[in-house]
Amino acid sequence: MINNSVKNAGKFEFDKDFVVNRLGYGTMQLTGKGVWGAYKDPQQAVDLIKKAFDFGVNFVDTADSYGPWEADTYLAQALKEYPDSDKIFISDKVGQVRTGPNEWIPLGRPEFLRQEVELSLRKFGRDHEDLLFLHRIDSQVPIEDQVGELKKMQDEGKIKHIGISQVTLDELKAAQKVAKIDAVENMYNVGHHQRDDAIVDYTKENGIAFLPWFPLATGQLAKEDGPLADIAKKYNASPAQIALAWLLKRSDNIIPIPGTSSLDHLKDNLESADVSLSDADFEKLSSLE
Ligand SMILES: NC(=O)c1ccc[n+]([C@@H]2O[C@H](COP(=O)([O-])OP(=O)(O)OC[C@H]3O[C@@H](n4cnc5c(N)ncnc54)[C@H](OP(=O)(O)O)[C@@H]3O)[C@@H](O)[C@H]2O)c1
């Protein structure tokens, strides 16, 4: 049963009111080309998110900049139509502006961060963000001002947990001097992990969640003729499931958030929690990079 699959991924506890299944969903595929504009079938996007909830996903990663606002519009609609949607934890991000397809510009001015949090809360009909990431550090603005504004909003009750995305270990430690950091979201997958292995270990030691973005290397690791094809056959699994099973085994503070616009791929990804890699195969996969 697919619902049990998600549970097999284990849980991560942000706090006693915030315990999530360790296999989530990322909304970034639910936009137009270049993460720009509307998804080709908005109703399908809403239905897919609701299916993810049906299958036991209670952790959804999103951002104002996906579309911008398009993915959040579908997520908001799915939440509105779903019973018990207050049990769905939103992992949100602010701090980038969009000027066109595939164009992303960090903007960390405190007043912009605050505006985007306020607009996101309005969009989701909530009075607080469960988890709010600074999407990118803006090199033009002191980190104390960027993370400091999120801390202010946390003190005001508008943000429960603060995260920081695509950072070095030094940047993470600098952010920790300004606020309690409960999550890091960096690019990380079985084919690209060495750069951030030390951050994963540091976050694990410090009780911080680690969200690996591009868990499937934008689909490259999911290919039937890709680098995981042989080992996938051995486990009677799909290559995508092997990529996700590796992340789940890598450390129990990792919450993969694979993105997909396909119901079949959604099921495939969630069933990765049923794949239990041997220690030897885990090591073999780790040396792929
Ligand atoms: N913090 C950041 O800076 C940052 C940056 C990028 C992404 N993110 C987050 O990370 C999430 C995941 O990243 P992502 O969606 O860009 O990349 P991804 O999860 O690595 O890969 C998604 C791609 O893989 C395909 N795919 C998914 N499942 C598959 C399966 N089982 N079999 C075959 N193909 C499959 C999808 O196509 P189909 O649609 O056809 O399934 C899509 O093209 C995003 O949704 C977003 O929430 C964060």
Side-chain angles (χ1 to χ4, degrees):
M1 272 283 287
I2 189 156
N3 289 37
N4 289 328
S5 299
V6 178
K7 286 182 188 132
N8 289 342
K11 295 193 182 296
F12 183 86
E13 185 172 327
F14 283 87
D15 61 49
K16 72 173 176 28
D17 300 322
F18 195 149
V19 183
V20 300
N21 293 323
R22 278 183 60 218
L23 199 44
Y25 174 74
T27 65
M28 204 175 87
Q29 300 299 326
L30 302 178
T31 62
K33 208 164 182 279
V35 199
W36 183 254
Y39 182 64
K40 59 183 181 210
D41 184 344
Q43 189 55 50
Q44 188 202 334
V46 174
D47 292 343
L48 188 83
I49 297 170
K50 286 197 293 184
K51 275 286 178 203
F53 299 159
D54 279 341
F55 294 153
V57 168
N58 63 7
F59 187 96
V60 181
D61 186 71
T62 193
D64 57 349
S65 49
Y66 297 166
W69 292 114
E70 301 292 346
D72 278 359
T73 299
Y74 313 139
L75 175 57
Q77 187 60 31
L79 290 167
K80 208 165 147 189
E81 293 175 15
Y82 200 76
D84 267 358
S85 67
D86 55 335
K87 296 199 173 66
I88 306 293
F89 298 102
I90 303 178
S91 160
D92 201 3
K93 304 186 283 297
V94 300
Q96 297 214 81
V97 285
R98 303 297 309 282
T99 50
N102 292 316
E103 292 173 11
W104 305 77
I105 301 174
L107 182 57
R109 281 176 43 187
E111 62 272 32
F112 177 67
L113 300 179
R114 179 171 287 268
Q115 172 188 287
E116 297 303 283
V117 169
E118 291 289 357
L119 291 180
S120 298
L121 293 179
R122 200 181 290 176
K123 175 75 100 186
F124 296 129
R126 291 188 169 191
D127 63 6
H128 68 269
E129 296 267 13
D130 296 319
L131 171 60
L132 194 277
F133 284 91
L134 179 64
H135 205 159
R136 284 292 181 282
I137 294 174
D138 179 350
S139 59
Q140 310 294 311
V141 179
I143 191 167
E144 293 76 11
D145 294 354
Q146 299 176 71
V147 178
E149 190 65 18
L150 302 189
K151 170 80 168 70
K152 267 190 216 161
M153 286 187 273
Q154 187 177 49
D155 292 343
E156 292 161 20
K158 291 180 174 169
I159 297 174
K160 278 211 165 165
H161 298 273
I162 296 174
I164 187 158
S165 175
Q166 207 47 40
V167 289
T168 63
L169 195 47
D170 285 347
E171 287 169 335
L172 168 57
K173 287 178 179 172
Q176 285 182 299
K177 291 196 175 120
V178 186
K180 182 171 182 289
I181 303 297
D182 289 323
V184 168
E185 182 166 338
N186 275 13
M187 183 180 161
Y188 191 83
N189 59 55
V190 63
H192 177 96
H193 60 89
Q194 285 177 8
R195 187 189 63 188
D196 282 358
D197 277 337
I199 297 192
V200 170
D201 294 339
Y202 178 86
T203 53
K204 159 80 181 151
E205 281 156 23
N206 288 277
I208 298 170
F210 185 91
L211 277 63
W213 61 263
F214 283 177
L216 303 174
T218 66
Q220 295 305 310
L221 292 169
K223 286 189 170 163
E224 291 300 335
D225 57 353
L228 307 181
D230 285 345
I231 200 153
K233 279 187 201 117
K234 177 175 166 186
Y235 281 87
N236 200 18
S238 71
Q241 290 175 339
I242 297 293
L244 297 170
W246 182 86
L247 286 167
L248 289 171
K249 189 174 169 75
R250 168 64 180 83
S251 189
D252 63 10
N253 66 324
I254 287 188
I255 307 172
I257 41 161
T260 182
S261 53
S262 139
L263 183 57
D264 285 345
H265 289 168
L266 176 69
K267 288 184 193 154
D268 189 50
N269 294 341
L270 298 179
E271 283 172 350
S272 66
D274 295 330
V275 178
S276 180
L277 294 172
S278 70
D279 291 346
D281 284 330
F282 175 81
E283 292 306 329
K284 209 156 114 189
L285 285 165
S286 303
S287 61
L288 271 181
E289 187 184 4

